[in-house]
Amino acid sequence: MTDKPTVVLGVSGGIAAYKACELLRRFTESGHDVQVVPTASALHFVGEATWAALSGRPVATEVWESVHEVPHVRIGREADLVVVAPATADTLAKAAHGLANDLLTNTLLTARCPVVFAPAMHTEMWEHPATRENVATLRRRGAVVIEPAVGRLTGADTGKGRLPEPEDVFAVCREVLARGVRKPDLTGRHVVVSAGGTREPLDPVRFLGNRSSGRQGYALAATAAARGARVTLVAANTALPDPAGVTVVRAGTALQLREAVLKAASDADAVVMAAAVADFRPAAYATGKIKKREGQEPEPVALVRNPDILAELSAERPRPGQTVVGFAAETDDVLAAGRAKLARKGCDLLVVNEVGEEKTFGSPDNEAVILSTDGEPVPVPYGPKEALAHTVWDLVAPRLGAAGA
Ligand code: CTP
């Protein structure tokens, strides 16, 4: 035994198994001991010799090899982390239902450490209600199921279902390893997250909008679901795939977003306003397209204020004891501006991001400081938006009273 963290890399039978070689390298090169446990079908894609050479350990797929060492129990027990990449629909189904007919599924049943699944499959399989329910079950139990990426699949087709890049899977694993077992501490809770950016129409073809991609809000929704919450995601103009196990409600404008958030918030334990809501909307909507006129300057656009949803939620708390979290995007004197905004809005926590042309928008990473009404600022180092999302839930969870309905 060494002091190095022990990682079990489960590989199930999909073409993306070749990408798991790169993931394996990242683990071994950063000081992890890795035991690869491929399924029999995984070996059709990448052979045993490759896994043994890259990991420096023998590999087995069945419980009948080295039986005297009781591998089906030992491997799971000794692991600090089990990551299954790629996780096929079949492996997710077996894990969700506790089947144990090979070494990997036995290992998943005996492991008491955090488990990360990185699914890869065709879009239809990922979207099938059976898979979605299996994913929701695994998340409810505390496993981290990473959302598949969108892009080219095995054949000529494209869609959601690609294994995320090895570096992204590795980043999630590192974060999970650093934090240890994460209990499903939001089980029985309803949380509402708003995401994306509102669009305020000027005429049928034009709008005032902003550059929010919605990724941080989606990360908040996915991580809350992973921690056991029932999640309503109010999404404004996002192009991201729906996170599995999350109810997604669409909203276009600030007024529509307000209506959807207030409706969902009526029985919510926590509301996180990650959406970039337009402060103003055009005073008038032109039902026909606004035309340019030769020799004439354009009419100035008159704007009116939109309601401040975060301030309204904070003042009214549609459900007593509700925790309300806001986001602040600041370009200058970030901390001072954040503190002033926390007081002005009246929320419990405020996640303050520094933004600029190259920062935050659309990027998978984020850096922030979280301010609260009753504690020290919590800095969140530069890292994946999921890591920031988990820190938000780490701060929200203890604020929630006895488990709700
Ligand atoms: N927000 C909201 N309703 C609005 C505007 C913003 O609920 N009409 C919420 C956002 O979802 C975010 C927070 O308020 O959680 C901060 O938004 P931001 O635009 O950064 O702050 P502003 O209130 O617009 O303040 P300023 O214009 O000074 O930046």
Side-chain angles (χ1 to χ4, degrees):
M1 290 277 284
T2 65
D3 292 340
K4 291 179 176 178
T6 302
V7 174
V8 172
L9 172 58
V11 185
S12 51
I15 185 71
Y18 78 91
K19 286 194 190 171
C21 300
E22 170 64 22
L23 180 62
L24 170 55
R25 282 208 87 109
R26 282 180 186 259
F27 277 120
T28 52
E29 284 172 8
S30 56
H32 301 80
D33 275 332
V34 187
Q35 173 66 58
V36 184
V37 183
T39 63
S41 7
L43 295 182
H44 288 295
F45 295 98
V46 178
E48 190 185 331
T50 306
W51 301 120
L54 287 178
S55 68
R57 289 185 179 206
V59 299
T61 61
E62 301 302 334
V63 293
W64 310 117
E65 293 157 57
S66 310
V67 178
H68 62 287
E69 290 179 7
V70 201
H72 73 290
V73 178
R74 179 183 54 80
I75 293 174
R77 276 194 188 151
E78 286 176 3
D80 296 301
L81 174 80
V82 178
V83 50
V84 185
T88 56
D90 180 66
T91 297
L92 293 174
K94 284 177 178 155
H97 293 277
L99 301 187
N101 60 352
D102 62 8
L103 189 55
L104 177 56
T105 45
N106 272 276
T107 299
L108 286 168
L109 273 186
T110 51
R112 291 294 174 270
C113 58
V115 179
V116 174
F117 292 93
M121 65 196 74
H122 269 78
T123 312
E124 292 83 352
M125 298 172 92
W126 174 251
E127 288 177 347
H128 194 284
T131 306
R132 295 187 73 93
E133 281 173 27
N134 291 333
V135 167
T137 300
L138 293 167
R139 285 178 169 159
R140 202 172 51 247
R141 292 187 196 137
V144 175
V145 184
I146 306 175
E147 284 296 301
V150 177
R152 183 84 191 268
L153 301 172
T154 316
D157 46 346
T158 58
K160 184 166 185 174
R162 265 171 77 89
L163 185 73
E165 290 309 313
E167 62 185 277
D168 297 333
V169 178
F170 181 66
V172 172
C173 292
R174 284 261 289 234
E175 190 235 329
V176 172
L177 261 175
R179 285 155 177 265
V181 180
R182 185 174 278 119
K183 288 202 295 291
D185 53 359
L186 297 177
T187 300
R189 306 294 186 175
H190 178 208
V191 305
V192 177
V193 178
S194 69
T198 64
R199 290 181 180 175
E200 311 298 322
L202 276 162
D203 68 13
V205 292
R206 303 183 181 94
F207 57 81
L208 299 180
N210 60 67
R211 297 171 55 197
S212 174
S213 67
R215 293 179 80 144
Q216 184 61 65
Y218 274 59
L220 281 155
T223 49
R227 292 168 74 146
R230 176 164 71 86
V231 185
T232 305
L233 174 63
V234 181
N237 307 296
T238 54
L240 300 167
D242 292 357
V246 167
T247 304
V248 181
V249 179
R250 308 250 160 223
T253 64
L255 293 178
Q256 290 166 354
L257 188 95
R258 173 180 174 275
E259 202 184 317
V261 168
L262 291 184
K263 186 167 173 226
S266 64
D267 70 345
D269 297 281
V271 184
V272 181
M273 285 294 297
V277 185
D279 290 319
F280 311 104
R281 67 179 182 277
Y285 172 72
T287 50
K289 188 179 165 203
I290 301 166
K291 297 293 233 182
K292 56 186 171 299
R293 305 207 189 282
E294 278 316 312
Q296 280 184 25
E297 287 301 312
E299 291 288 323
V301 176
L303 299 173
V304 292
R305 285 288 291 263
N306 272 328
D308 188 323
I309 308 163
L310 178 61
E312 189 176 338
L313 278 168
S314 304
E316 292 181 6
R317 311 276 166 162
R319 175 174 174 161
Q322 189 171 70
T323 297
V324 179
V325 183
F327 270 70
E330 305 291 349
T331 50
D332 306 296
D333 204 356
V334 174
L335 263 189
R339 283 205 185 88
K341 196 167 280 180
L342 178 69
R344 201 165 65 239
K345 301 262 188 180
C347 50
D348 304 297
L349 300 169
L350 189 75
V351 185
V352 187
N353 287 132
E354 188 173 358
V355 291
E357 288 272 323
E358 303 298 325
K359 277 190 175 159
T360 300
F361 289 113
S363 135
D365 296 324
N366 213 344
E367 181 180 7
V369 52
I370 305 178
L371 306 179
S372 67
T373 44
D374 51 8
E376 292 295 309
V378 176
V380 184
Y382 189 75
K385 288 184 173 175
E386 283 71 22
L388 172 57
H390 273 304
T391 309
V392 170
W393 298 124
D394 287 346
L395 295 172
V396 167
R399 291 175 170 268
L400 307 176

